[in-house]
Amino acid sequence: MSSAKPEFTEPTLSAGTAALPPLRVAYEDAALDAILGSGDVLAVFGFGTQAPATNADPRYLRVNLEPAGGTAPFEVWRARARVHARRESGIAWASDGDYAFGAIEVAESVHGSVERATEFAYRRLVETIAASDTPHTLRIWNYLDAINLGEGDDERYRRFCLGRAAGLEAHGFADAYPAATGIGVRDGRRVLQIYWLAARSAGTALENPRQVSAWRYPRQYGIKAPTFARAMRAPTQNPQVYVSGTAAIVGHASHHRDDLRAQVAETLANIDSVLAAARIAPAARFGAGAALKVYVRRAGDVEPMRALLREKLPMRTRTLFLQGDICRSELLVEIDGVQDV
């Protein structure tokens, strides 16, 4: 495949698209029941074994990634209108009419492989979103066990990519993908966790001038290239950008093997580049308008990572550190998040 630079779409609202109020994303230390007591809460995420395992409220999901440092605050999504939630046919769903949160968990053992479990999950995902009043997918998070296990095309991440592509392309997503993250958990359960954000109006997918679009990766990265956009500009009047999981990849190649400092610098340069593509002014990037999740592969890198980000990011940047495996075994860190202006 060609490694030419991707084509870009203007990061502005399409004609006739109704601008939505921005979703508010925060990291909160309050009690879970107190957070869920607010009618404007669209979704709440706990992380690791210290977070509540379950809650009767469909808006809560525990993500099977351990926080770096023992415990983590809840990640909270707040909408502008009253949220209604339900759980139906294995899917948790909540919506305020402008935005919708959805989540599905699929045991690989039921389907025989991570590939088939992923295809099943994505078919359910797109069917559910298409049948709703919020039919536009903005962002998807994927968490799967042992992401780097297996050699060559049998690596579990590559099999996941095959299943994801089959589930998306069956419903017309080819070459028009949402932003996404794919991270490896270490719980041994072999349960695929997928959750997403959809909206009443369409966002604008964005690519990074420093990188080949993931869905154009050459064959060396698997039978089917990863199917996601580098970021999604939400359909808001003022820019709100959902940044996909981003690592030290330039073009399509990983850079700076075993060099944490250099990988962090390259990762931040990539995020800066995609925010520039979204026409976010340099002074507005990162800082108080950003909420970042930092996925760190090696436990010994957690404190050096904290120090590096204190050095490189504005003091008011909100960060949440999680331990997890990155989609390529040579990559030590990945960062995703949301940027408001």
Side-chain angles (χ1 to χ4, degrees), residues 210-212 221 247-256 266 270 328:
R210 302 181 82 238
Q211 297 177 306
V212 174
Y221 299 105
I249 296 171
V250 182
H252 57 72
S254 302
H255 282 232
H256 315 299
E266 203 75 76
N270 278 329
R328 297 184 188 180

Side-chain angles (χ1 to χ4, degrees), residues 17-256:
T17 298
L20 302 183
L23 191 70
R24 292 168 290 170
V25 178
Y27 300 138
E28 301 185 13
D29 288 312
L32 177 59
D33 286 345
I35 295 171
L36 290 170
S38 297
D40 64 347
V41 169
L42 185 69
V44 184
F45 306 93
F47 297 92
T49 55
Q50 297 302 308
T54 59
N55 189 285
D57 195 313
R59 296 174 295 167
Y60 175 70
L61 178 69
R62 184 176 76 174
V63 175
N64 296 324
L65 283 171
E66 292 301 320
T71 60
F74 293 106
E75 180 178 339
V76 183
W77 297 355
R78 292 184 184 272
R80 301 289 178 174
R82 185 163 187 82
V83 172
H84 300 276
R86 67 180 187 272
R87 201 182 304 273
E88 186 175 334
S89 301
I91 291 180
W93 181 267
S95 178
D96 75 330
D98 286 333
Y99 295 101
F101 153 73
I104 186 171
E105 297 182 287
V106 179
E108 294 177 26
S109 59
V110 174
H111 299 274
S113 68
V114 66
E115 179 183 340
R116 291 179 178 176
T118 304
E119 181 176 356
F120 171 82
Y122 267 84
R123 285 179 181 270
R124 292 296 317 283
L125 178 159
V126 294
E127 288 166 359
T128 300
I129 293 172
S132 74
D133 294 330
T134 51
H136 302 286
T137 311
L138 301 181
R139 185 73 167 80
I140 303 176
W141 289 260
N142 308 273
Y143 299 111
L144 60 149
D145 189 45
I147 196 170
N148 301 130
L149 183 64
E151 298 296 325
D153 288 340
D154 289 328
E155 184 190 44
R156 283 172 53 78
Y157 178 66
R158 296 189 183 195
R159 306 314 295 186
F160 162 83
C161 286
L162 275 169
R164 174 170 59 178
L168 288 177
E169 291 175 0
H171 294 78
F173 268 81
D175 293 354
Y177 301 114
T181 293
I183 290 290
V185 302
R186 303 166 180 171
D187 60 6
R189 295 174 59 234
R190 295 292 199 270
V191 174
L192 179 67
Q193 285 188 310
I194 300 175
Y195 64 91
W196 61 89
L197 174 66
R200 178 167 53 84
S201 301
T204 301
L206 300 167
E207 295 299 326
N208 182 352
R210 302 181 82 238
Q211 297 177 306
V212 174
S213 297
W215 41 272
R216 288 180 171 173
Y217 278 176
R219 174 63 178 84
Q220 71 194 76
Y221 299 105
I223 297 170
K224 186 65 182 179
T227 43
F228 67 92
R230 298 295 183 187
M232 179 69 71
R233 200 269 199 203
T236 50
Q237 193 62 53
N238 293 325
Q240 184 175 54
V241 179
Y242 291 91
V243 179
S244 293
T246 305
I249 296 171
V250 182
H252 57 72
S254 302
H255 282 232
H256 315 299

